[in-house]
Amino acid sequence: MKEADYRRITYDLTLRIARTLADANPRMTFIYVSGQGTDSTENGRSMWARVKGKTENDLLALPFRAYMFRPGFVQPMDGVVSKTPLYRVAYSITGPLIPLFKRLAPNAVNDNREIGRAMIAVAASGANGRVLTPREITARATP
């Protein structure tokens, strides 16, 4: 995707919605799902990481409580299937290895259930930091 198109979808749309919500209720909690590797300096080589970094930075500057979720590899659970053919193949090959990978690299893997539970927990009671890594997402998902 060209940077202008990616920026329009990822940054412009997100900030337009976020500003509207912040105006309506500056005391709300806003959770943005970004991604591991996001570049909060906005100066890196990777286009998607720069755009996501700018999006995060500008969300954090709004008056509401904003949290950035940066999951790494997301394991689909409960019959969730990716629409991207390459991802479907990758999940079918790596699926049996994910529990081992999660033990060896706990800061690289989350499943969609954990992300959902962590979002609810953070919306209800906040988090220690404003940017959550996969390990922190897992910790917030655990009751």
Side-chain angles (χ1 to χ4, degrees):
M1 185 179 286
K2 294 185 188 233
E3 184 165 354
D5 294 331
Y6 188 79
R7 181 183 169 89
R8 191 178 70 252
I9 294 166
T10 302
Y11 176 82
D12 296 342
L13 178 61
T14 302
L15 265 292
R16 190 172 314 125
I17 292 167
R19 287 182 182 120
T20 300
L21 292 170
D23 288 344
N25 183 3
R27 295 180 44 205
M28 74 175 288
T29 297
F30 189 95
I31 297 172
Y32 178 67
V33 179
S34 188
Q36 200 168 32
T38 295
D39 178 11
S40 56
T41 71
E42 304 176 31
N43 294 315
R45 289 184 179 175
S46 178
M47 176 273 292
W48 75 266
R50 285 191 316 271
V51 173
K52 290 271 190 175
K54 174 142 183 67
T55 305
E56 285 186 356
N57 291 339
D58 290 357
L59 288 170
L60 289 167
L62 291 175
F64 50 44
R65 291 178 304 166
Y67 295 93
M68 308 301 116
F69 275 46
R70 290 185 180 180
F73 181 87
V74 177
Q75 178 185 12
M77 305 292 283
D78 305 317
V80 173
V81 178
S82 175
K83 293 180 183 179
T84 306
L86 178 62
Y87 288 2
R88 285 195 304 270
V89 170
Y91 286 134
S92 68
I93 293 168
T94 61
L97 301 173
I98 292 172
L100 175 64
F101 185 52
K102 187 159 185 160
R103 279 194 178 183
L104 295 174
N107 205 31
V109 181
N110 292 106
D111 66 49
N112 57 324
R113 288 184 211 153
E114 283 179 327
I115 294 169
R117 285 193 309 266
M119 291 172 95
I120 292 167
V122 169
S125 59
N128 290 335
R130 308 259 321 257
V131 177
L132 287 82
T133 66
R135 184 182 308 239
E136 294 160 333
I137 291 168
T138 299
R140 291 301 288 142
T142 306

PDB file of all heavy atoms in Angstrom, residues 121-143:
ATOM      1  N   ALA A 121      -9.811  -5.220  30.832  1.00  0.00           N
ATOM      2  CA  ALA A 121      -9.161  -4.891  32.112  1.00  0.00           C
ATOM      3  C   ALA A 121      -8.584  -3.481  32.088  1.00  0.00           C
ATOM      4  O   ALA A 121      -8.728  -2.725  33.062  1.00  0.00           O
ATOM      5  CB  ALA A 121      -8.060  -5.906  32.418  1.00  0.00           C
ATOM      6  N   VAL A 122      -7.944  -3.111  31.001  1.00  0.00           N
ATOM      7  CA  VAL A 122      -7.347  -1.768  30.903  1.00  0.00           C
ATOM      8  C   VAL A 122      -8.444  -0.705  30.835  1.00  0.00           C
ATOM      9  O   VAL A 122      -8.331   0.347  31.469  1.00  0.00           O
ATOM     10  CB  VAL A 122      -6.384  -1.686  29.698  1.00  0.00           C
ATOM     11  CG1 VAL A 122      -5.976  -0.254  29.409  1.00  0.00           C
ATOM     12  CG2 VAL A 122      -5.149  -2.551  29.951  1.00  0.00           C
ATOM     13  N   ALA A 123      -9.501  -0.976  30.104  1.00  0.00           N
ATOM     14  CA  ALA A 123     -10.605  -0.006  30.040  1.00  0.00           C
ATOM     15  C   ALA A 123     -11.225   0.193  31.417  1.00  0.00           C
ATOM     16  O   ALA A 123     -11.601   1.308  31.785  1.00  0.00           O
ATOM     17  CB  ALA A 123     -11.662  -0.469  29.043  1.00  0.00           C
ATOM     18  N   ALA A 124     -11.306  -0.871  32.199  1.00  0.00           N
ATOM     19  CA  ALA A 124     -11.929  -0.795  33.522  1.00  0.00           C
ATOM     20  C   ALA A 124     -11.026  -0.172  34.577  1.00  0.00           C
ATOM     21  O   ALA A 124     -11.495   0.607  35.409  1.00  0.00           O
ATOM     22  CB  ALA A 124     -12.354  -2.189  33.976  1.00  0.00           C
ATOM     23  N   SER A 125      -9.727  -0.510  34.552  1.00  0.00           N
ATOM     24  CA  SER A 125      -8.877  -0.060  35.657  1.00  0.00           C
ATOM     25  C   SER A 125      -7.514   0.484  35.251  1.00  0.00           C
ATOM     26  O   SER A 125      -6.673   0.712  36.115  1.00  0.00           O
ATOM     27  CB  SER A 125      -8.700  -1.201  36.668  1.00  0.00           C
ATOM     28  OG  SER A 125      -8.121  -2.325  36.036  1.00  0.00           O
ATOM     29  N   GLY A 126      -7.277   0.681  33.965  1.00  0.00           N
ATOM     30  CA  GLY A 126      -6.016   1.270  33.526  1.00  0.00           C
ATOM     31  C   GLY A 126      -4.871   0.274  33.519  1.00  0.00           C
ATOM     32  O   GLY A 126      -5.069  -0.929  33.679  1.00  0.00           O
ATOM     33  N   ALA A 127      -3.685   0.806  33.329  1.00  0.00           N
ATOM     34  CA  ALA A 127      -2.462  -0.001  33.291  1.00  0.00           C
ATOM     35  C   ALA A 127      -1.322   0.859  33.803  1.00  0.00           C
ATOM     36  O   ALA A 127      -1.443   2.084  33.878  1.00  0.00           O
ATOM     37  CB  ALA A 127      -2.181  -0.477  31.868  1.00  0.00           C
ATOM     38  N   ASN A 128      -0.220   0.214  34.148  1.00  0.00           N
ATOM     39  CA  ASN A 128       0.931   0.965  34.657  1.00  0.00           C
ATOM     40  C   ASN A 128       1.547   1.869  33.603  1.00  0.00           C
ATOM     41  O   ASN A 128       1.980   2.961  33.900  1.00  0.00           O
ATOM     42  CB  ASN A 128       1.988   0.007  35.218  1.00  0.00           C
ATOM     43  CG  ASN A 128       1.519  -0.649  36.493  1.00  0.00           C
ATOM     44  OD1 ASN A 128       0.678  -0.114  37.205  1.00  0.00           O
ATOM     45  ND2 ASN A 128       2.047  -1.819  36.771  1.00  0.00           N
ATOM     46  N   GLY A 129       1.608   1.397  32.378  1.00  0.00           N
ATOM     47  CA  GLY A 129       2.161   2.209  31.293  1.00  0.00           C
ATOM     48  C   GLY A 129       1.111   2.479  30.242  1.00  0.00           C
ATOM     49  O   GLY A 129       0.027   1.895  30.264  1.00  0.00           O
ATOM     50  N   ARG A 130       1.430   3.348  29.325  1.00  0.00           N
ATOM     51  CA  ARG A 130       0.464   3.695  28.272  1.00  0.00           C
ATOM     52  C   ARG A 130       0.687   2.885  26.997  1.00  0.00           C
ATOM     53  O   ARG A 130      -0.166   2.862  26.125  1.00  0.00           O
ATOM     54  CB  ARG A 130       0.563   5.189  27.971  1.00  0.00           C
ATOM     55  CG  ARG A 130       0.465   6.073  29.193  1.00  0.00           C
ATOM     56  CD  ARG A 130      -0.813   6.764  29.511  1.00  0.00           C
ATOM     57  NE  ARG A 130      -1.610   7.324  28.497  1.00  0.00           N
ATOM     58  CZ  ARG A 130      -1.696   8.624  28.210  1.00  0.00           C
ATOM     59  NH1 ARG A 130      -0.967   9.496  28.864  1.00  0.00           N
ATOM     60  NH2 ARG A 130      -2.506   9.050  27.276  1.00  0.00           N
ATOM     61  N   VAL A 131       1.852   2.227  26.900  1.00  0.00           N
ATOM     62  CA  VAL A 131       2.164   1.375  25.753  1.00  0.00           C
ATOM     63  C   VAL A 131       2.390  -0.031  26.287  1.00  0.00           C
ATOM     64  O   VAL A 131       3.280  -0.247  27.103  1.00  0.00           O
ATOM     65  CB  VAL A 131       3.410   1.885  24.998  1.00  0.00           C
ATOM     66  CG1 VAL A 131       3.760   0.955  23.844  1.00  0.00           C
ATOM     67  CG2 VAL A 131       3.191   3.318  24.492  1.00  0.00           C
ATOM     68  N   LEU A 132       1.576  -0.973  25.852  1.00  0.00           N
ATOM     69  CA  LEU A 132       1.643  -2.335  26.377  1.00  0.00           C
ATOM     70  C   LEU A 132       2.238  -3.299  25.357  1.00  0.00           C
ATOM     71  O   LEU A 132       1.763  -3.383  24.224  1.00  0.00           O
ATOM     72  CB  LEU A 132       0.252  -2.818  26.787  1.00  0.00           C
ATOM     73  CG  LEU A 132      -0.287  -2.186  28.071  1.00  0.00           C
ATOM     74  CD1 LEU A 132      -0.888  -0.834  27.808  1.00  0.00           C
ATOM     75  CD2 LEU A 132      -1.285  -3.089  28.723  1.00  0.00           C
ATOM     76  N   THR A 133       3.270  -4.007  25.788  1.00  0.00           N
ATOM     77  CA  THR A 133       3.931  -5.023  24.985  1.00  0.00           C
ATOM     78  C   THR A 133       3.151  -6.335  25.089  1.00  0.00           C
ATOM     79  O   THR A 133       2.242  -6.453  25.937  1.00  0.00           O
ATOM     80  CB  THR A 133       5.360  -5.267  25.503  1.00  0.00           C
ATOM     81  OG1 THR A 133       5.271  -5.829  26.816  1.00  0.00           O
ATOM     82  CG2 THR A 133       6.181  -3.982  25.523  1.00  0.00           C
ATOM     83  N   PRO A 134       3.487  -7.343  24.294  1.00  0.00           N
ATOM     84  CA  PRO A 134       2.790  -8.626  24.429  1.00  0.00           C
ATOM     85  C   PRO A 134       2.833  -9.195  25.845  1.00  0.00           C
ATOM     86  O   PRO A 134       1.819  -9.700  26.339  1.00  0.00           O
ATOM     87  CB  PRO A 134       3.539  -9.540  23.445  1.00  0.00           C
ATOM     88  CG  PRO A 134       3.987  -8.595  22.373  1.00  0.00           C
ATOM     89  CD  PRO A 134       4.378  -7.342  23.121  1.00  0.00           C
ATOM     90  N   ARG A 135       3.956  -9.102  26.516  1.00  0.00           N
ATOM     91  CA  ARG A 135       4.049  -9.609  27.894  1.00  0.00           C
ATOM     92  C   ARG A 135       3.099  -8.839  28.813  1.00  0.00           C
ATOM     93  O   ARG A 135       2.428  -9.423  29.671  1.00  0.00           O
ATOM     94  CB  ARG A 135       5.481  -9.493  28.408  1.00  0.00           C
ATOM     95  CG  ARG A 135       5.666 -10.096  29.784  1.00  0.00           C
ATOM     96  CD  ARG A 135       7.082  -9.919  30.279  1.00  0.00           C
ATOM     97  NE  ARG A 135       8.039 -10.399  29.313  1.00  0.00           N
ATOM     98  CZ  ARG A 135       8.932 -11.352  29.539  1.00  0.00           C
ATOM     99  NH1 ARG A 135       9.010 -11.901  30.722  1.00  0.00           N
ATOM    100  NH2 ARG A 135       9.762 -11.735  28.603  1.00  0.00           N
ATOM    101  N   GLU A 136       3.025  -7.527  28.662  1.00  0.00           N
ATOM    102  CA  GLU A 136       2.124  -6.716  29.488  1.00  0.00           C
ATOM    103  C   GLU A 136       0.657  -6.978  29.142  1.00  0.00           C
ATOM    104  O   GLU A 136      -0.205  -6.948  30.022  1.00  0.00           O
ATOM    105  CB  GLU A 136       2.474  -5.231  29.337  1.00  0.00           C
ATOM    106  CG  GLU A 136       3.840  -4.913  29.916  1.00  0.00           C
ATOM    107  CD  GLU A 136       4.447  -3.622  29.400  1.00  0.00           C
ATOM    108  OE1 GLU A 136       4.135  -3.193  28.270  1.00  0.00           O
ATOM    109  OE2 GLU A 136       5.283  -3.058  30.137  1.00  0.00           O
ATOM    110  N   ILE A 137       0.388  -7.232  27.875  1.00  0.00           N
ATOM    111  CA  ILE A 137      -0.977  -7.594  27.469  1.00  0.00           C
ATOM    112  C   ILE A 137      -1.379  -8.900  28.150  1.00  0.00           C
ATOM    113  O   ILE A 137      -2.467  -9.010  28.718  1.00  0.00           O
ATOM    114  CB  ILE A 137      -1.074  -7.696  25.930  1.00  0.00           C
ATOM    115  CG1 ILE A 137      -0.924  -6.303  25.304  1.00  0.00           C
ATOM    116  CG2 ILE A 137      -2.406  -8.337  25.513  1.00  0.00           C
ATOM    117  CD1 ILE A 137      -0.710  -6.299  23.796  1.00  0.00           C
ATOM    118  N   THR A 138      -0.476  -9.890  28.139  1.00  0.00           N
ATOM    119  CA  THR A 138      -0.750 -11.163  28.809  1.00  0.00           C
ATOM    120  C   THR A 138      -0.985 -10.962  30.298  1.00  0.00           C
ATOM    121  O   THR A 138      -1.911 -11.530  30.873  1.00  0.00           O
ATOM    122  CB  THR A 138       0.417 -12.153  28.582  1.00  0.00           C
ATOM    123  OG1 THR A 138       0.547 -12.385  27.179  1.00  0.00           O
ATOM    124  CG2 THR A 138       0.186 -13.466  29.315  1.00  0.00           C
ATOM    125  N   ALA A 139      -0.164 -10.133  30.932  1.00  0.00           N
ATOM    126  CA  ALA A 139      -0.318  -9.883  32.367  1.00  0.00           C
ATOM    127  C   ALA A 139      -1.660  -9.233  32.687  1.00  0.00           C
ATOM    128  O   ALA A 139      -2.304  -9.596  33.686  1.00  0.00           O
ATOM    129  CB  ALA A 139       0.832  -8.992  32.870  1.00  0.00           C
ATOM    130  N   ARG A 140      -2.110  -8.300  31.864  1.00  0.00           N
ATOM    131  CA  ARG A 140      -3.393  -7.627  32.114  1.00  0.00           C
ATOM    132  C   ARG A 140      -4.567  -8.550  31.820  1.00  0.00           C
ATOM    133  O   ARG A 140      -5.659  -8.376  32.340  1.00  0.00           O
ATOM    134  CB  ARG A 140      -3.524  -6.340  31.292  1.00  0.00           C
ATOM    135  CG  ARG A 140      -2.595  -5.238  31.741  1.00  0.00           C
ATOM    136  CD  ARG A 140      -2.798  -4.821  33.192  1.00  0.00           C
ATOM    137  NE  ARG A 140      -4.031  -4.092  33.333  1.00  0.00           N
ATOM    138  CZ  ARG A 140      -4.870  -4.170  34.365  1.00  0.00           C
ATOM    139  NH1 ARG A 140      -4.595  -4.942  35.376  1.00  0.00           N
ATOM    140  NH2 ARG A 140      -5.974  -3.476  34.408  1.00  0.00           N
ATOM    141  N   ALA A 141      -4.350  -9.565  30.973  1.00  0.00           N
ATOM    142  CA  ALA A 141      -5.416 -10.516  30.630  1.00  0.00           C
ATOM    143  C   ALA A 141      -5.645 -11.552  31.712  1.00  0.00           C
ATOM    144  O   ALA A 141      -6.693 -12.174  31.766  1.00  0.00           O
ATOM    145  CB  ALA A 141      -5.078 -11.219  29.311  1.00  0.00           C
ATOM    146  N   THR A 142      -4.661 -11.698  32.587  1.00  0.00           N
ATOM    147  CA  THR A 142      -4.736 -12.703  33.639  1.00  0.00           C
ATOM    148  C   THR A 142      -5.442 -12.128  34.856  1.00  0.00           C
ATOM    149  O   THR A 142      -5.008 -11.104  35.383  1.00  0.00           O
ATOM    150  CB  THR A 142      -3.308 -13.163  34.027  1.00  0.00           C
ATOM    151  OG1 THR A 142      -2.650 -13.578  32.831  1.00  0.00           O
ATOM    152  CG2 THR A 142      -3.359 -14.304  35.004  1.00  0.00           C
ATOM    153  N   PRO A 143      -6.547 -12.767  35.282  1.00  0.00           N
ATOM    154  CA  PRO A 143      -7.282 -12.224  36.440  1.00  0.00           C
ATOM    155  C   PRO A 143      -6.484 -12.277  37.728  1.00  0.00           C
ATOM    156  O   PRO A 143      -5.549 -12.929  37.920  1.00  0.00           O
ATOM    157  CB  PRO A 143      -8.520 -13.114  36.544  1.00  0.00           C
ATOM    158  CG  PRO A 143      -8.465 -14.110  35.463  1.00  0.00           C
ATOM    159  CD  PRO A 143      -7.177 -13.941  34.729  1.00  0.00           C
TER     160      PRO A 143
END
